[in-house]
Amino acid sequence: MTALDLSSPVAVVGTGTMGQGIAQVALVAGHPVRLYDAAPGRAREAAAAIGARLDRLVEKERLTAADRDAARARLLPVEELTGLAGCALVVEAVLERLDIKQELFRALEDVVPDDCLLATNTSSLSVTAIGGALRLPGRFVGLHFFNPAPLLPLVEVVSGSATDVTSATRAYETARAWGKTPVACADTPGFIVNRVARPFYAEAFAVYESQGADPATIDAVLRESGGFRMGPFELTDLIGQDVNESVTHSVWRSFFQDARFTPSLAQRRLVESGRLGRKTGRGWYDHADGAERPEPHTADPAEPPAYVIAEGGLGPASELLALIREAGVEVRERDEDGGTRLVLPGGGKLVLADGRTTAEFRDVVHFDLALDYRGATRIALSHARHTSPAAVAEATGLFQALGKKVSVIGDVPGMIVARTVARIVDLAVEAVARGVATEDDVDTAMRLGVNYPLGPFEWSRRLGRGWAGELLDELHGIDPSGRCAPSLALHQYACAADEREDTP
């Protein structure tokens, strides 16, 4: 099954920001496009807005004047649903309510031919449930674009329980012909991106709620150490706290209130207070004109230690040893069974975040995971109240000698980057095990849909298959509520590592 022919008319129902964006994508690809909105006059207004955006593309030399004129000639706003007769594809982008979408598609079935592909752009509702109201549910598919649709490349092509393979394939190939990067997934709460991304927000909010660190510091650590484009507090302010929380609640309810998807009480209070982010002028941060952005916590300068003792290597942080030597700090290596740490001159120990609290040990300072320790500009440290100030000072001075800013946070098990990545890996592995998508499609979706520096399986290959499970086991042991419980799929994934070929 191939993509729709460019002569085939495409319709978009719903002319808000997303509907206009999808229409623009189909239009620039070369299709005749029809716009419909239930509100009188809205389709004409949307057509004018799309025309203005095409003008801007010409000004930026991303589109020729001739192609713009041809695209405008192919764009037709219609005032009645019957104006969509003869279309080969209809994409819906209306209000996120199941009853409204079902009613729309039932009406469309009386208008369009039986071979017309019907698609919903829903981000939170069940594709199966929407299509269940149809006479021919096999032709119904999810086409989930990301906002802004003309710019972001990812499209999740979602097959409902009744979707025909031919329909899903045609939708996939059409999205690819439009210059997008499609990924195929089964109909599951949140699809790929909104399912796997939940811990990026949830873990940051949990650290904040436990008073482990403030929003500015958490955001800075995830950006400057984890390599994420934006931190979760600034990102949810951009998305809208109400929108982000709504998706979280939808996924949580759809998974029968699975503790791993538990919403944040702190975010609930923001929404209740009307602090929805940039659109209201205040969310986690103050966005009023002239408002100062709070600075992340950064430790004062400290003297680096003269030497460190490396016991057993540092696992995923092993590249630190070369950086320490390059900084002029002597590294003395000592074999130690089960040890993966740096011992400081004063007797304190530096240990990579492993899911345990520093309160369990004497003079242990945990340091957080980094995407790239050489390129990271900030490192987070965590310690207990009883940790000696000398150990904290030596640990701080060591990382500052490597050219890093240091953020000292509370005694947070798993810290910030490490626990976030571990939980993302877990949900990704479970999604693949349940047939939601392939490993490659999950990685592609998370890199392109939410700009993650690595896909979950890329992270896992770098850190080791067993790393996430071991960290989550420790977190679950400390907090058996189920929030951080590793999935069975993650355990099986670790046991199926290629290097393990032994049989019982």
Side-chain angles (χ1 to χ4, degrees):
M1 183 63 67
T2 58
L4 293 176
D5 187 271
L6 290 180
S7 64
S8 302
V10 171
V12 176
V13 178
T15 59
T17 300
M18 185 58 77
Q20 290 182 31
I22 296 170
Q24 181 180 328
V25 170
L27 193 64
V28 171
H31 287 273
V33 174
R34 300 178 191 174
L35 290 175
Y36 170 77
D37 197 291
R42 190 72 60 78
R44 288 193 303 274
E45 293 173 2
I50 293 170
R53 283 199 290 273
L54 295 178
D55 288 339
R56 288 195 290 274
L57 290 178
V58 172
E59 292 170 5
K60 295 177 181 178
E61 298 184 347
R62 295 177 184 173
L63 191 70
T64 67
D67 286 342
R68 174 201 57 197
D69 295 343
R72 278 181 166 171
R74 294 193 302 271
L75 182 59
L76 177 65
V78 299
E79 293 298 324
E80 301 293 337
L81 205 61
T82 53
L84 307 185
C87 285
L89 167 64
V90 180
V91 183
E92 163 272 316
V94 303
L95 189 65
E96 285 285 89
R97 273 182 46 186
L98 179 62
D99 57 340
I100 291 176
K101 292 179 187 289
Q102 288 178 327
E103 181 181 354
L104 168 65
F105 282 109
R106 279 195 294 263
L108 279 169
E109 279 202 305
D110 294 332
V111 172
V112 299
D114 286 353
D115 60 351
C116 175
L117 190 63
L118 299 179
T120 175
N121 183 59
T122 186
S123 62
S124 60
L125 298 177
S126 165
V127 171
T128 300
I130 300 171
L134 299 181
R135 174 173 52 85
L136 298 173
R139 60 165 163 177
F140 187 72
V141 66
L143 274 178
H144 181 214
F145 289 77
F146 288 74
N147 194 28
L151 296 180
L152 293 186
L154 185 71
V155 177
E156 292 177 317
V157 181
V158 187
S159 293
S161 296
T163 303
D164 293 335
V165 173
T166 53
S167 298
T169 303
R170 170 154 283 184
Y172 185 98
E173 294 300 333
T174 297
R176 185 156 65 176
W178 290 358
K180 296 301 180 182
T181 302
V183 292
C185 65
D187 184 21
T188 185
F191 310 141
I192 299 174
V193 172
N194 280 331
R195 172 179 179 159
V196 176
R198 291 347 298 159
F200 181 70
Y201 312 106
E203 294 312 304
F205 297 162
V207 172
Y208 168 74
E209 289 174 343
S210 70
Q211 298 188 27
D214 60 276
T217 299
I218 296 169
D219 278 352
V221 170
L222 282 162
R223 286 195 317 268
E224 299 173 38
S225 183
F228 292 91
R229 184 76 59 85
M230 297 179 74
F233 294 92
E234 57 190 343
L235 181 56
T236 52
D237 265 4
L238 177 63
I239 295 169
Q241 299 302 329
D242 53 338
V243 174
N244 182 262
E245 192 205 30
S246 176
V247 173
T248 297
H249 270 270
S250 175
V251 173
W252 177 60
R253 288 192 302 268
S254 297
F255 277 113
F256 308 105
Q257 300 184 1
D258 186 327
R260 294 175 301 164
F261 300 99
T262 301
S264 162
L265 180 59
Q267 188 179 41
R268 175 91 291 261
R269 293 293 180 256
L270 272 187
V271 174
E272 289 174 339
S273 67
R275 297 182 175 188
L276 307 182
R278 295 193 181 204
K279 60 187 176 184
T280 61
R282 191 175 182 89
W284 297 109
Y285 299 109
D286 186 348
H287 299 281
D289 291 341
E292 291 187 11
R293 182 69 172 266
E295 292 293 326
H297 174 270
T298 302
D300 293 332
E303 287 294 320
Y307 67 89
V308 295
I309 301 172
E311 293 185 343
L314 294 177
S318 59
E319 67 178 320
L320 277 175
L321 297 178
L323 299 180
I324 293 170
R325 290 188 177 98
E326 291 169 15
V329 177
E330 180 186 356
V331 177
R332 304 174 185 175
E333 298 194 39
R334 181 168 69 196
D335 291 335
E336 184 76 15
D337 291 340
T340 52
R341 58 190 173 233
L342 292 175
V343 181
L344 300 165
K349 299 175 182 65
L350 259 176
V351 179
L352 177 62
D354 58 7
R356 294 180 291 179
T357 66
T358 51
E360 301 174 51
F361 308 98
R362 179 177 177 81
D363 282 355
V364 163
V365 177
H366 278 124
F367 64 95
D368 209 348
L369 182 68
L371 171 69
D372 168 17
Y373 282 99
R374 183 174 293 276
T377 58
R378 183 180 297 272
I379 294 293
L381 301 180
S382 174
H383 67 89
R385 292 180 180 178
H386 61 248
T387 305
S388 72
V392 178
E394 286 186 326
T396 300
L398 176 64
F399 280 103
Q400 288 173 341
L402 306 186
K404 318 299 182 189
K405 295 177 182 177
V406 174
S407 291
V408 181
I409 68 173
D411 186 11
V412 177
M415 301 196 67
I416 298 172
V417 180
R419 67 190 285 167
T420 299
V421 171
R423 289 212 55 222
I424 288 171
V425 168
D426 181 36
L427 293 188
V429 168
E430 185 183 48
V432 170
R434 295 194 175 193
V436 174
T438 66
E439 291 185 10
D440 286 346
D441 276 356
V442 170
D443 277 353
T444 297
M446 302 313 292
R447 281 189 285 100
L448 298 184
V450 278
N451 289 313
Y452 283 7
L454 293 176
F457 291 94
E458 293 172 317
W459 270 111
S460 183
R461 286 189 290 272
R462 176 179 290 197
L463 299 169
R465 278 181 177 242
W467 175 85
E470 291 169 3
L471 187 143
L472 293 178
D473 275 333
E474 293 288 353
L475 283 174
H476 183 55
I478 295 171
D479 174 15
S481 65
R483 275 196 73 257
C484 297
S487 65
L488 172 62
L490 186 63
H491 172 73
Q492 293 169 328
Y493 173 78
C495 291
D498 294 340
E499 63 269 24
R500 295 188 180 182
E501 298 178 354
D502 296 340
T503 56

